[in-house]
Each structure stands twice: as C-alpha cells, then as structure tokens.
Amino acid sequence: MLKECLFCKIIAGSIKSEKVYEDEHVFAFKDIHPKAPIHVLIVPKQHIDSLAKLDESNADVLKPVFLAAQKIVKEEGVLERGFRTVFNCNPEGGQLVYHLHLHLLAGKQLGGGMGA
Ligand code: AMP
Ligand code: ZN
C-alpha cells in the first residue's frame, strides 16, 4: 500500500467507493465519472504504478484482474452483449491515477474507434 495513492486508499476503505466485486487479489468499484452505463475499475490489491512497471515478479496480478472482469460482466448480464477492457498507461495513454487499473465498459454500443 502506498500512503499517498488514491486507489490504495479506496482498497483500504479510507476513501469511499461503490464496490462491485472483491476477492483476495482484486478490488473493483464504479468509476466516479462513468463513460458507459457500466464503468468499473478493476484494481489489483498490490500497488503497481502502471502497465509500464509490470515485470516477471508482479505480472501474476493480471490473471485475477481479467477473471474478475469476466465475473462482473456475467453478474451484470452483459457477457453476450459485449464489453470493453482498457488499460491507460502514462501521460499520452491518458493515465491519471498511477495504481494499475483495468477499465471495464459495457451497457451500450461502444464506438468502433480506439479513442485516438
Ligand atoms: P485513468 O485515466 O486510466 O488513470 O483512470 C482513472 C479513473 O479513475 C478515471 O476514469 C476517473 O474517473 C476515476 N476516478 C478518479 N477518482 C475516483 C474515485 N474517487 N472513485 C472512483 N473513480 C475515480
Ligand atoms: Zn496504490
């Protein structure tokens, strides 16, 4: 846990969030500025700044993140309709919070573009 990290505080419960899912490895909550009817952030409990900081020692965090995404879309009933997962990385990737997180978007027809 990083003291000054917003998402570490959310995981610890010292900042409130709308929790969607939690297990041993991940915490998932609603994005405060949703870009779709379902917009969930899936965060590994282990603090890693970004995808840029992933290496052999910590890359195992990705598996529970993606499994959580699948559980959430099943729970929300949108697995068949479809969904999108996005990692923003570093300034030009649009990353604002430097605790690795997967955006899960669903619940509407998402645009075909990649937001470039
Ligand atoms: P990124 O740009 O990929 O770093 O995404 C950060 C996301 O965190 C944005 O979509 C914000 O809307 C979201 N966010 C920031 N603060 C909070 C918060 N306190 N609770 C929930 N989501 C937040
Ligand atoms: Zn953190």
Side-chain angles (χ1 to χ4, degrees), residues 66-86:
F66 282 108
L67 289 174
Q70 193 194 73
K71 282 179 191 146
I72 293 164
V73 294
K74 279 182 183 160
E75 187 74 23
E76 297 282 346
V78 293
L79 183 117
E80 298 300 332
R81 283 173 62 192
F83 59 95
R84 178 171 295 164
T85 53
V86 177

Side-chain angles (χ1 to χ4, degrees), residues 34-36 38-40 73 82-86 103-107 110:
K35 301 276 191 305
I38 296 167
H39 186 173
V40 174
V73 294
F83 59 95
R84 178 171 295 164
T85 53
V86 177
H103 291 259
L104 169 63
L105 298 139
L110 295 162

Side-chain angles (χ1 to χ4, degrees), residues 19-74:
K19 185 166 94 172
V20 173
Y21 174 81
E22 182 175 12
D23 65 26
E24 189 188 344
H25 303 291
V26 307
F27 191 87
F29 54 98
K30 291 186 183 177
D31 194 294
I32 205 163
H33 298 303
K35 301 276 191 305
I38 296 167
H39 186 173
V40 174
L41 302 175
I42 306 171
V43 176
K45 288 184 173 175
Q46 180 185 347
H47 180 96
I48 299 166
D49 287 353
S50 75
L51 218 50
K53 297 289 175 66
L54 214 62
D55 59 33
E56 288 295 338
S57 76
N58 60 22
D60 286 353
V61 301
L62 290 180
K63 181 175 167 180
V65 165
F66 282 108
L67 289 174
Q70 193 194 73
K71 282 179 191 146
I72 293 164
V73 294
K74 279 182 183 160

